[in-house]
């Protein structure tokens, strides 16, 4: 039993999951500070759990499979990785964020927010992640891939935390998102 426990504690999956949880929680705290809100610890906890239980493990598995299926840094390989990343990881991670948050918030319709916001969030995802992933797939060692992605995710998760707070009609208008994130 102690062998399994020590392997788990030393596993890359656990490190990636914990790191994602910390980054997501820190992003929500950042958004609450920017908005001038009192820190809502239960909400920060739910966002951190979303990183820990969903985002970190999903990225760990996805990028491990991607790197094994498409090893190397040749131009064609990087283009294939980008296309797969944006067509699979982008939509799954965005919808997953909304769904897991809604489960943790005990909402009756856990899919409603994902249906309403995923496509709108995906446009920002492509704008942000394509350059970030070009760097990732070209220069970052696969061993540190999820760590790099999670650090980049700090900025991205700030955006998701903003999007999580909007009513659907505001999510349809990017200028509302820009103004509400403290940048307008």
């Amino acid at each position: 039993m102690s062998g399994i426990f020590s392997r788990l504690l030393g596993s890359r999956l656990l490190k990636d999951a914990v790191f994602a949880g910390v980054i997501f929680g820190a992003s929500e705290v950042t958004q609450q500070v920017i908005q001038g809100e009192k820190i809502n610890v239960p909400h920060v906890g739910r966002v951190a759990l979303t990183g820990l239980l969903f985002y970190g493990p999903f990225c760990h598995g996805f990028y491990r499979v991607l790197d094994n299926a498409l090893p190397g840094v040749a131009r064609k390989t990087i283009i294939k990785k980008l296309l797969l990343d944006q067509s699979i990881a982008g939509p799954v991670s965005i919808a997953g964020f909304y769904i897991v948050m809604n489960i943790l918030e005990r909402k009756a319709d856990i899919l409603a927010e994902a249906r309403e916001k995923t496509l709108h969030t995906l446009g920002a995802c492509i704008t942000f992640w394509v350059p970030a992933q070009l760097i990732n797939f070209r220069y970052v060692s696969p061993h540190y891939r999820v760590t790099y992605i999670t650090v980049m995710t700090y900025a991205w998760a700030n955006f998701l935390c903003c999007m999580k707070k909007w009513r659907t009609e505001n999510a349809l208008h990017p200028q509302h998102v820009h103004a509400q994130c403290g940048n307008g």
Side-chain angles (χ1 to χ4, degrees):
M1 183 70 163
S2 67
I4 293 170
F5 187 67
S6 67
R7 274 195 305 256
L8 177 63
L9 286 179
S11 79
R12 190 79 210 163
L13 171 59
L14 182 62
K15 290 174 185 171
D16 291 340
V18 169
F19 194 56
V22 169
I23 292 296
F24 268 65
S27 295
E28 178 56 29
V29 168
T30 300
Q31 281 308 301
Q32 291 180 19
V33 168
I34 288 171
Q35 296 297 319
E37 300 171 0
K38 182 179 178 219
I39 302 300
N40 180 337
V41 175
H43 187 71
V44 170
R46 288 188 294 272
V47 174
L49 276 173
T50 300
L52 174 74
L53 300 175
F54 170 71
Y55 191 84
F58 171 74
C59 287
H60 174 87
F62 179 80
Y63 292 108
R64 188 171 181 175
V65 168
L66 192 65
D67 285 330
N68 288 334
L70 297 167
V73 295
R75 184 173 291 156
K76 284 183 181 182
T77 301
I78 291 172
I79 291 169
K80 289 176 187 176
K81 285 182 176 183
L82 281 171
L83 289 172
L84 289 170
D85 179 66
Q86 290 305 300
S87 63
I88 298 170
V92 169
S93 64
I94 292 167
F97 172 80
Y98 293 126
I99 292 167
V100 173
M101 285 295 299
N102 287 338
I103 290 169
L104 295 173
E105 292 170 345
R106 297 181 176 156
K107 292 201 174 168
D109 184 353
I110 61 170
L111 301 177
E113 194 169 22
R115 283 191 301 267
E116 295 165 358
K117 295 181 181 177
T118 297
L119 285 179
H120 303 291
T121 309
L122 193 55
C125 176
I126 291 166
T127 303
F128 179 82
W129 281 111
V130 168
Q133 293 294 47
L134 279 169
I135 294 166
N136 181 23
F137 296 140
R138 178 68 179 102
Y139 300 108
V140 178
S141 161
H143 183 72
Y144 295 106
R145 191 152 330 278
V146 174
T147 302
Y148 168 83
I149 291 164
T150 305
V151 169
M152 296 304 295
T153 297
Y154 174 74
W156 176 246
N158 271 278
F159 175 76
L160 287 176
C161 290
C162 282
M163 286 296 291
K164 177 73 178 121
K165 294 176 184 176
W166 281 289
R167 296 178 315 242
T168 305
E169 64 271 15
N170 288 344
L172 299 176
H173 304 287
Q175 68 273 16
H176 291 246
V177 174
H178 184 71
Q180 291 288 339
C181 285
N183 299 320

